Amino acid sequence: MMSSAIASVFRGTIIHSLELETVQILHNAALGVSHLGSIVFVRPDVDTDDKFNLIQQEYGFESNKVVNLGNKFLIPGFIDTHAHAPQYHNAGTGTDLPLLKWLEKYTFPVESKFRDLSFAKNVYTKVVDRMLKNGTTTCCYYATIHLDASLLLADIVTERGQRGFIGKVCMDRHSPDHYVETTEDSIRNTRQFVEQLQARGNPLVQPIVTPRFAPSCTDSLMHDLGKLARERNTLVQSHISENLDEVQWVKSLYPNLNSYAEVYKHFDLLTNKTIMAHCVHLSDQELDLFKQQEASIAHCPQSNFTLGSGALDVRKVLSKNIKIGLGSDVSGGYSASLLSAVRDTTKCSNAVLFGDRTHKTLGYEAAFYLATVGGSKVVCMEDKLGNFVEGKYFDAQVIDPYVQGGPFDVFADDTPKDIFQKFIFLGDDRNVNSVYVNGKKVI
Ligand SMILES: [Zn+2]
């Protein structure tokens, strides 16, 4: 192999998931990344310099390419499968109302301000930086209804080097006068958004077709968006069954369709490229429909607790073999860090247990899997992202559990797994030493 093939080699402890309930810890590992950003080799137990030298000879890389992790460790970047970039402005506020009132009082007013590009630039720069600093290497973003501001978000994600799916939000009914589109504007601007972003040819930043949710989109708009997503081969994202009032509302809007999930299917918006946020109150039949359509779920437990929406039974979703990952749902969820979603996934599972003592709860290992491998399946990139398997892209975070002034303490008798668990429950961006996307250092 030519020496130029290897751009960097990481030496030290690597932690990732290969299956749901187990975290794999590779000690004294060596991991090589190509100039194209993919993982060329992963070798465990390289515990002597002699063993390392053999790998160096095999791949012919220079010693200055080697990053010694020391007492830091490497984990995959987080994949946030559901976040509203403009709502980051409100993160940590407006936590006192249920969904439909919350949208009216806090969310629509702030989103409508994104017609002002300087306002948009300030918030979008801050949210992307915050996400990256917290180790989110891939994010599914909702922008707003504004074409220019949505393209600006794509520019900022591109410039910062994050991997992202960017959606111009579509809503042409049941919305306030100051924040609504005509059907024609919505479909025309969405088409333009998708075509412009695809024409840029940046594989890291792609458009995603984004009907806000069924109540805010007319039949005609939903129909055209389903067609557009097929034609341009994009992912689709929307919301479903977050809150009981919302479910009732959809029932009254579509008396002739069997269920909320059927509504999206009816408009060809429930496909194997669809990411539906929440899914808290889906019936068994609707879950079966998700499975049949190979649609995926963005589980947003912090948002579901904060807005009082409910507790999704993730174990049931998993037992039906439906794709599921985690979402921050900024700002229904107040934290842009996916670590919060990981913690709240374990709490949400405990909440399900309170009502059903037979529920087999999800531990932090499973929640970590969902934040990484689970997310990779949701964005249809399970062969490219989610863990450190040869051939996948190197999207990673270097975690420093010993950082000065950090959020937790490590004791001499803590095992590597203890330290990892402390990071999961107590860690924050102070522990995130550096972040890589597609092999490139972005933090
Ligand atoms: Zn949302």
Side-chain angles (χ1 to χ4, degrees):
M1 188 163 292
M2 292 181 17
S3 61
S4 62
I6 300 292
S8 48
V9 176
F10 294 83
R11 204 177 163 187
T13 301
I14 294 176
I15 303 179
H16 67 163
S17 301
L18 296 172
E19 50 191 46
L20 181 69
E21 316 272 358
T22 336
V23 170
Q24 187 182 51
I25 302 180
L26 302 173
H27 298 286
N28 300 306
L31 181 152
V33 182
S34 79
H35 281 283
L36 297 174
S38 52
I39 299 165
V40 179
F41 62 83
V42 183
R43 302 284 174 84
D45 304 319
V46 187
D47 50 359
T48 64
D49 284 341
D50 284 352
K51 287 186 191 169
F52 188 78
N53 291 341
L54 282 175
I55 296 172
Q56 188 162 8
Q57 278 164 29
E58 184 180 342
Y59 289 96
F61 53 84
E62 291 122 42
S63 297
N64 62 9
K65 302 271 170 69
V66 179
V67 178
N68 279 304
L69 294 168
N71 54 21
K72 305 183 190 75
F73 58 87
L74 205 58
I75 63 172
F78 290 133
I79 299 174
D80 188 340
T81 61
H82 187 77
H84 297 263
Q87 294 176 24
Y88 178 68
H89 178 276
N90 289 358
T93 67
T95 57
D96 58 329
L97 290 175
L99 174 68
L100 300 175
K101 292 197 171 88
W102 174 85
L103 282 171
E104 244 173 72
K105 182 167 178 192
Y106 301 115
T107 307
F108 294 150
V110 76
E111 289 193 14
S112 72
K113 290 185 184 170
F114 282 70
R115 65 169 59 89
D116 173 352
L117 286 179
S118 67
F119 185 88
K121 186 173 186 188
N122 182 38
V123 178
Y124 283 163
T125 303
K126 290 198 163 72
V127 66
V128 174
D129 284 347
R130 179 72 61 191
M131 291 271 183
L132 277 173
K133 273 201 318 204
N134 281 282
T136 295
T137 49
T138 299
C139 187
C140 300
Y141 287 112
Y142 287 58
T144 60
I145 64 174
H146 312 101
L147 173 62
D148 288 351
S150 302
L151 286 167
L152 177 66
L153 174 59
D155 289 340
I156 292 166
V157 170
T158 303
E159 187 213 324
R160 291 297 199 268
Q162 194 181 33
R163 203 183 287 281
F165 296 90
I166 321 288
K168 187 208 88 68
V169 169
C170 298
M171 43 199 284
D172 66 342
R173 66 167 174 175
H174 298 138
S175 306
D177 292 343
H178 63 87
Y179 191 53
V180 67
E181 312 161 284
T182 65
T183 308
E184 295 70 34
D185 281 352
S186 186
I187 189 67
R188 190 187 57 240
N189 287 338
T190 302
R191 176 175 285 279
Q192 211 176 324
F193 176 77
V194 168
E195 289 180 357
Q196 282 196 32
L197 214 48
Q198 286 183 334
R200 292 180 185 178
N202 176 2
L204 270 67
V205 180
Q206 294 176 38
I208 178 167
V209 167
T210 307
R212 176 168 219 117
F213 68 149
S216 60
C217 300
T218 59
D219 290 8
S220 158
L221 179 57
M222 296 260 277
H223 174 264
D224 284 358
L225 292 176
K227 242 175 75 179
L228 178 68
R230 283 276 182 207
E231 185 191 315
R232 306 300 305 192
N233 196 28
T234 69
L235 298 188
V236 171
Q237 62 182 352
S238 194
H239 299 86
I240 192 170
S241 221
E242 173 176 2
N243 161 295
L244 290 171
D245 290 339
E246 168 214 1
V247 173
Q248 278 310 315
W249 190 16
V250 171
K251 218 171 239 172
S252 72
L253 290 171
Y254 295 96
N256 299 323
L257 290 173
N258 281 333
S259 66
Y260 199 164
E262 281 284 352
V263 173
Y264 288 115
K265 177 168 180 277
H266 181 76
F267 296 105
D268 202 18
L269 288 165
L270 192 73
T271 73
N272 61 357
K273 299 184 96 104
T274 298
I275 306 167
M276 282 290 169
H278 307 302
C279 303
V280 175
H281 304 288
L282 289 183
S283 66
D284 283 358
Q285 288 84 347
E286 287 179 295
L287 285 173
D288 291 341
L289 189 60
F290 265 66
K291 173 62 190 157
Q292 180 200 308
Q293 298 295 105
E294 296 175 55
S296 61
I297 294 176
H299 176 43
C300 307
Q302 186 169 72
S303 171
N304 297 155
F305 285 148
T306 305
L307 301 185
S309 303
L312 173 66
D313 185 345
V314 173
R315 187 65 77 178
K316 188 199 257 186
V317 169
L318 290 167
S319 75
K320 287 182 180 282
N321 224 355
I322 296 166
K323 295 182 284 183
I324 180 167
L326 302 188
S328 62
D329 194 21
V330 165
S331 68
Y334 44 83
S335 171
S337 164
L338 218 60
L339 276 178
S340 292
V342 170
R343 294 165 193 156
D344 287 352
T345 294
T346 67
K347 292 194 195 95
C348 180
S349 181
N350 284 346
V352 174
L353 174 74
F354 300 156
D356 170 13
R357 281 287 155 190
T358 66
H359 176 71
K360 186 165 170 269
T361 54
L362 289 164
Y364 73 95
E365 298 98 328
F368 177 73
Y369 172 95
L370 294 178
T372 53
V373 181
S376 76
K377 295 182 183 180
V378 167
V379 299
C380 301
M381 292 185 74
E382 62 266 41
D383 57 337
K384 292 291 175 200
L385 302 176
N387 53 21
F388 300 120
V389 169
E390 288 172 9
K392 290 194 179 188
Y393 297 130
F394 185 69
D395 285 12
Q397 336 174 31
V398 176
I399 303 302
D400 182 359
Y402 297 94
V403 66
Q404 276 289 324
F408 60 88
D409 294 295
V410 178
F411 298 103
D413 56 345
D414 281 334
T415 64
K417 186 129 190 237
D418 292 334
I419 297 169
F420 173 69
Q421 190 176 355
K422 284 185 173 185
F423 167 69
I424 291 294
F425 282 102
L426 296 164
D428 62 30
D429 58 355
R430 285 169 286 182
N431 301 112
V432 181
N433 176 273
S434 43
V435 178
Y436 294 80
V437 177
N438 218 54
K440 189 172 156 245
K441 191 165 183 284
V442 294
I443 292 284

